[in-house]
Amino acid sequence: MSDTRSVLPYGSWPSPIEADDAARGDALLEWVGFLGDDVCWTEVLPEEDGRSGLMRRTADGVEEVLPPGWDVRTRVIEYGGRPWLALSGRAADGLVFTHGPDQRLHRWRPGSDPVPLSPPGAWPGELRYADFAVHGDEIWCLRETVADDTARTARRHLVAIPLDGGAAEDPSRVRELAATHHFMTGPRIEPGGDRVAWLGWDHPDMPWDTTRLMVAAVLPDGTLGAPAVRMGGEGEAVTQADWATDGSGTLYAVSDPDGWWNVHAVDRDGGTRSLCPRPEEFGEALWRIGLRWCLPLLDGTLAVIHGVGERRLGILGADGALTDFDDPATEWHFAATDGRRIAAVASSPGRRRTVVLADPADGSVRTVRAPSSEGRSLPSDAPDPDADGAAPDARTPAPDAYATTPYRRTYRGDDGEPVHVHVYPPHHPEFTGPGDELPPYLVLAHGGPTSRSHLVLNQEISYFTSRGIGVVDVQYGGSTGYGRAYRERLRHRWGLTDVQDCATAARGLIAEGLADPDRIAIRGGSAGGWTAVASIAAEPGLYRAAAVYYPVLDPASWREETHDFESRYLDGLIGPWPDTADRYAHQSPLREADRIRTPFVLLQGLDDTVCPPAQAERLLQRIDPDTVPYRCLTFEGEGHGFRRSATVAASLRAELRLYADALGFTPAAASCCSPA
């Protein structure tokens, strides 16, 4: 069949996916759970300054659970954690949640307004709560106490807060249960209430380096006995623990003593055994408190999320047999269970983020919240929530037909090490590029850096690919999803391995004849911003443009400027301070800032406590604007990771304008001409 598409230069294809569409097109769906029979989730509402609403699906569409204006979000460790919990299996009992603006714990019952359960701090946000469990007439949870809004100094306790609201005015009624480590997860209470488990770790370790699984007896007076370590320790990271539902006293732990996060059973005597030993991951890096990938079900099986470089949902039997759901989703997040069914956010290369409900009894996966561009409610002709699969929302202004079909690729660096990437080729159903022209490509460096990105349908990436600009998303050494050895490739080599791997990916595309060697750009945020700046300094001949979002750039000062959770992160990424001060100077992207000749755009939130604006300012102080053309856009009210649709849209327009100028193409009318 002949290709009847019109021919236009790459980068100039007219696309229906405008910056405003991309900014609101992928609803940020998180923290799924059950309220009675209803599946609920938090949803970031960009049109309301990034407020997180608690949503549910009813016969009339998607609606907000709480009265208008409540923000279900916790700032624990700055990256947040599980912010709400239903109080029982009955919807009438309501729920507890952390309210974003004041960070206080509240209780809500149907038909009433939420009321505070926790006392106010000395200032809004001093006391933060996450990862809840019910014990009798109390809520047990993690409490974080920060010294000021920078969160550079913090203390953490497991606490018990009465459900009757008495602690809201009397702080003495909050009981401190444990403080075994500088960092902890919330409590997991054994069915029957006899024991409680949690994870803990201390500086300089991060939770993917070394954690310990703690277990303590719950004494008759509600206090805890002496905690004991049941798993974990030096060089082993337990990333989740949950109790069996059958009363056997078995504790399931996702840990990596063999280099992969596998599921283990921990018996009452402390003995452990791996239930399904495989060279794949059954967990993730614990960036947010309360994440779960292994869910004990009432029939004694486990729902597990597992894979290498992707995630599938499966059921793990007592005999170690693992059976996956027959569903195309390749990423599953924020899983929760009512003991029988599993609710989660699912996505794939052909499907944007979708809230689904999976039932092991019949193997079905049903859509609860289909993708939509607005997020507040579904139209009257929305897909049936009981229909299999996820249909696109009828209101979506940018049809998913304009999305490309991404694929995985592995290149080899000069040292022979693998570099895993996701390739998103340019695609438009009505246009193609000239036969004698290769497309420009953007090298995408994800944040973290101990993290990964997902091979899924993504409106922000489609914003570029539908215009004829390819994207290669690099899972550089240090990324999660490929075992501890791959993560450890970045140890003490941040600014080196990541930069080399991004260059390997770009040169791999060029060698295959897929990308124009004279039209390569790089983009990244946070740790990815570090990699982007380090790359244009190290490879001035490879990259012709860079988009840098809220970066880390000066590691020596960042140690003192960032929040408590990451303040010792660089011990592993670069080395202990001050013993390795020479590495900090050598590996900093600022070291060779005077070599930068690549035009760039810098985008920074002014309320960022993770990568404060001072980091970006130090780069600009070293750049001669007469030599290097750059733009710097700052945004009031934005923190680390932009939440407002207007901010995201302005940033994308600024990026496209930069790429057009630097890579030599003319965008279609209205693509980047609106005010940024």
Side-chain angles (χ1 to χ4, degrees):
M1 182 179 294
S2 63
D3 191 341
T4 59
R5 293 178 295 173
S6 301
V7 176
L8 281 177
Y10 289 107
S12 66
W13 301 346
S15 170
I17 306 175
E18 294 298 341
D20 290 327
D21 304 323
R24 65 175 182 263
D26 285 337
L28 186 53
L29 314 172
E30 301 181 321
W31 303 119
V32 179
F34 288 86
L35 179 63
D37 289 331
D38 290 339
V39 176
C40 302
W41 63 95
T42 63
E43 183 166 332
V44 173
L45 307 172
E47 71 278 10
E48 296 188 32
D49 290 336
R51 179 174 70 85
S52 287
L54 183 63
M55 320 300 284
R56 65 180 167 190
R57 179 65 187 255
T58 71
D60 297 325
V62 172
E63 68 175 22
E64 196 158 350
V65 176
L66 301 175
W70 290 92
D71 186 0
V72 183
R73 178 162 56 104
T74 175
R75 290 183 59 190
V76 159
I77 69 167
E78 292 304 295
Y79 290 106
R82 183 164 288 278
W84 73 278
L85 176 75
L87 290 174
S88 72
R90 301 189 315 123
D93 291 333
L95 55 90
V96 294
F97 69 97
T98 296
H99 179 48
D102 62 15
Q103 290 296 289
R104 295 176 73 182
L105 180 64
H106 289 73
R107 179 176 184 174
W108 171 81
R109 294 181 177 91
S112 64
D113 288 329
V115 296
L117 297 183
S118 65
W123 51 274
E126 180 201 18
L127 303 175
R128 305 167 177 186
Y129 304 88
D131 207 11
F132 310 107
V134 178
H135 186 268
D137 57 1
E138 294 178 319
I139 289 294
W140 289 16
C141 63
L142 174 68
R143 182 188 68 192
E144 180 179 69
T145 307
V146 297
D148 56 43
D149 203 41
T150 68
R152 292 173 195 161
T153 303
R155 295 176 291 113
R156 294 165 189 89
H157 296 83
L158 299 186
V159 298
I161 300 174
L163 276 166
D164 64 9
E169 301 298 334
D170 182 2
S172 67
R173 292 197 61 193
V174 177
R175 297 192 302 116
E176 293 184 356
L177 300 169
T180 55
H181 296 78
H182 189 62
F183 298 98
M184 295 183 292
T185 65
R188 295 288 180 267
I189 301 173
E190 183 181 15
D194 293 336
R195 292 182 295 170
V196 62
W198 65 92
L199 307 182
W201 67 98
D202 294 302
H203 283 316
D205 290 317
M206 298 299 285
W208 42 86
D209 296 325
T210 292
T211 63
R212 288 171 172 82
L213 171 58
M214 310 301 296
V215 176
V218 180
L219 302 180
D221 64 356
T223 61
L224 301 187
V229 178
R230 287 306 180 92
M231 198 172 185
E234 191 64 34
E236 179 182 348
V238 186
T239 197
Q240 186 206 330
D242 264 293
W243 298 96
T245 60
D246 59 4
S248 64
T250 299
L251 184 58
Y252 296 115
V254 180
S255 192
D256 66 346
D258 299 320
W260 295 87
W261 274 313
N262 282 184
V263 181
H264 298 76
V266 183
D267 62 31
R268 284 186 175 272
D269 298 325
T272 64
R273 59 188 175 90
S274 182
L275 299 182
C276 186
R278 293 187 177 196
E280 58 181 273
E281 305 281 41
F282 287 72
E284 299 272 5
L286 194 61
W287 278 101
R288 304 175 79 179
I289 303 298
L291 289 170
R292 302 170 76 195
W293 305 274
C294 172
L295 308 175
L297 304 180
L298 291 173
D299 64 1
T301 62
L302 298 170
V304 293
I305 296 171
H306 68 102
V308 179
E310 66 174 18
R311 294 292 180 270
R312 302 281 181 175
L313 177 65
I315 300 298
L316 179 60
D319 59 355
L322 179 59
T323 305
D324 287 344
F325 278 80
D326 183 16
D327 185 85
T330 54
E331 295 290 348
W332 295 76
H333 313 277
F334 303 104
T337 184
D338 62 358
R340 298 180 297 105
R341 304 168 298 167
I342 304 101
V345 177
S347 55
S348 73
R351 181 167 68 183
R352 289 182 279 147
R353 287 185 290 259
T354 306
V355 179
V356 299
L357 183 62
D359 190 343
D362 58 12
S364 64
V365 178
R366 296 183 172 88
T367 299
V368 175
R369 197 284 196 205
S372 74
S373 61
E374 299 294 335
R376 289 306 307 274
S377 60
L378 293 177
S380 58
D381 58 347
D384 183 346
D386 293 327
D388 292 338
D393 188 329
R395 296 173 307 171
T396 303
D400 290 346
Y402 290 86
T404 188
T405 301
Y407 59 90
R408 290 181 171 83
R409 186 79 167 85
T410 299
Y411 294 108
R412 294 278 172 179
D414 292 339
D415 56 4
E417 292 284 354
V419 180
H420 306 296
V421 305
H422 304 156
V423 181
Y424 293 80
H427 169 75
H428 195 296
E430 300 169 14
F431 296 95
T432 188
D436 59 351
E437 181 184 344
L438 291 173
Y441 256 83
L442 310 181
V443 175
L444 174 57
H446 65 69
T450 313
S451 184
R452 69 185 181 97
S453 45
H454 308 131
L455 188 74
V456 298
L457 199 158
N458 181 300
Q459 283 282 75
E460 192 167 301
I461 288 178
S462 295
Y463 176 74
F464 295 109
T465 57
S466 63
R467 287 170 166 77
I469 306 165
V471 175
V472 57
D473 191 356
V474 185
Q475 312 304 298
Y476 48 80
S479 300
T480 56
Y482 304 94
R484 182 178 279 263
Y486 197 78
R487 291 203 311 273
E488 292 290 323
R489 284 189 56 218
L490 201 62
R491 180 165 291 275
H492 297 166
R493 289 186 53 81
W494 193 33
L496 303 173
T497 295
D498 49 324
V499 170
Q500 293 166 4
D501 286 0
C502 284
T504 293
R507 292 192 170 102
L509 289 171
I510 293 168
E512 289 189 279
L514 300 176
D516 186 335
D518 295 324
R519 295 198 290 173
I520 304 292
I522 188 167
R523 71 190 300 254
S526 190
W530 158 290
T531 302
V533 175
S535 293
I536 60 176
E539 298 271 5
L542 178 61
Y543 301 105
R544 303 306 171 93
V548 182
Y549 285 76
Y550 33 83
V552 184
L553 294 173
D554 181 13
S557 66
W558 185 74
R559 294 179 66 258
E560 304 298 328
E561 294 173 349
T562 194
H563 61 137
D564 180 53
F565 175 62
E566 292 183 274
S567 62
R568 297 292 300 276
Y569 193 6
L570 299 186
D571 283 42
L573 293 175
I574 299 177
W577 178 271
D579 297 347
T580 58
D582 57 333
R583 285 191 211 155
Y584 281 71
H586 175 70
Q587 292 172 221
S588 168
L590 298 182
R591 182 177 72 91
E592 295 184 329
D594 59 348
R595 294 187 61 198
I596 293 176
R597 297 294 181 269
T598 304
F600 64 89
V601 60
L602 182 59
L603 307 123
Q604 178 70 49
L606 294 179
D607 294 347
D608 195 334
T609 58
V610 177
C611 296
Q615 290 285 307
E617 291 164 4
R618 291 188 180 96
L619 172 65
L620 300 184
Q621 290 166 2
R622 290 165 169 80
I623 299 295
D624 181 357
D626 294 330
T627 304
V628 183
Y630 71 83
R631 292 183 70 199
C632 178
L633 301 182
T634 59
F635 301 96
E636 294 274 1
E638 288 283 13
H640 196 66
F642 298 155
R643 297 173 67 88
R644 297 173 177 172
S645 57
T647 302
V648 176
S651 300
L652 290 174
R653 285 193 290 266
E655 273 197 76
L656 186 58
R657 186 180 299 120
L658 168 70
Y659 301 146
D661 293 341
L663 305 183
F665 59 82
T666 302
S671 290
C672 66
C673 299
S674 302

